[in-house]
Structure formats: structure tokens, C-alpha cells
Amino acid sequence: KKMRSHGISQMPVLRGKKIVGLVGESEILDALLDESKNKISEIMKEPPPIVSPEAGAEVVSNLLKFYPIVLVANKGKISGVVTKSDLLARV
């Protein structure tokens, strides 16, 4: 529901303040078909990479070749998310 209300297709999974994974529409759809998997921890992917706010577009675009999102953290606190569509919007 949260993803739909914000118009996003994936989001980080947190345990407390630590990022432990990533869940997206594909994982949720697969879980709906496989009723044995009903916990986020059973369907999430590995956590996305985290960069500093000073990371350049080249660094982020290279990471986005391998990950659906890149998180931005400032002093250990997540301050943003970058997706492929964010970079394409800059063109």
C-alpha cells in the first residue's frame, strides 16, 4: 500500500535504522503466487548501494546498471533515493 500511495515500484527494507534489503513489485507479485513466502525477509533482495550526497552522476549511473535504486546517506542517515528515471529526467 505504501509503495502504491507514493507511486514507487521498490523500497528499502529497514530493521530499526539499518537497511537490510530491498523489496519491489516483482518480489511482491512472486510472493503472491508462492504462498509459502509471506514475510518480507523471505522475498527481499540484497540492500542497494549507498552513496554520499557528493557522489557524481557518473558514479550513480554506473551503480544503476546493476541495482534498481541507489540510496543517498549523509552522516549515516538516509537522505534520498535515486532511480534510473531520476537520471533520465535530468536529460
Side-chain angles (χ1 to χ4, degrees), residues 26-80:
S26 297
E27 290 77 34
I28 293 170
L29 290 172
D30 289 344
L32 291 173
L33 297 173
D34 183 354
E35 294 178 10
S36 69
K37 295 181 178 181
N38 56 13
K39 295 180 180 177
I40 293 293
S41 61
E42 296 172 332
I43 65 169
M44 68 184 181
K45 294 193 234 178
E46 65 183 70
I50 302 171
V51 298
S52 73
E54 292 80 27
E58 184 177 343
V59 170
V60 175
S61 69
N62 282 326
L63 288 170
L64 288 172
K65 292 177 185 176
F66 305 99
Y67 298 92
I69 66 173
V70 174
L71 301 177
V72 180
N74 191 6
K75 297 179 183 175
K77 184 177 179 182
I78 299 299
S79 59

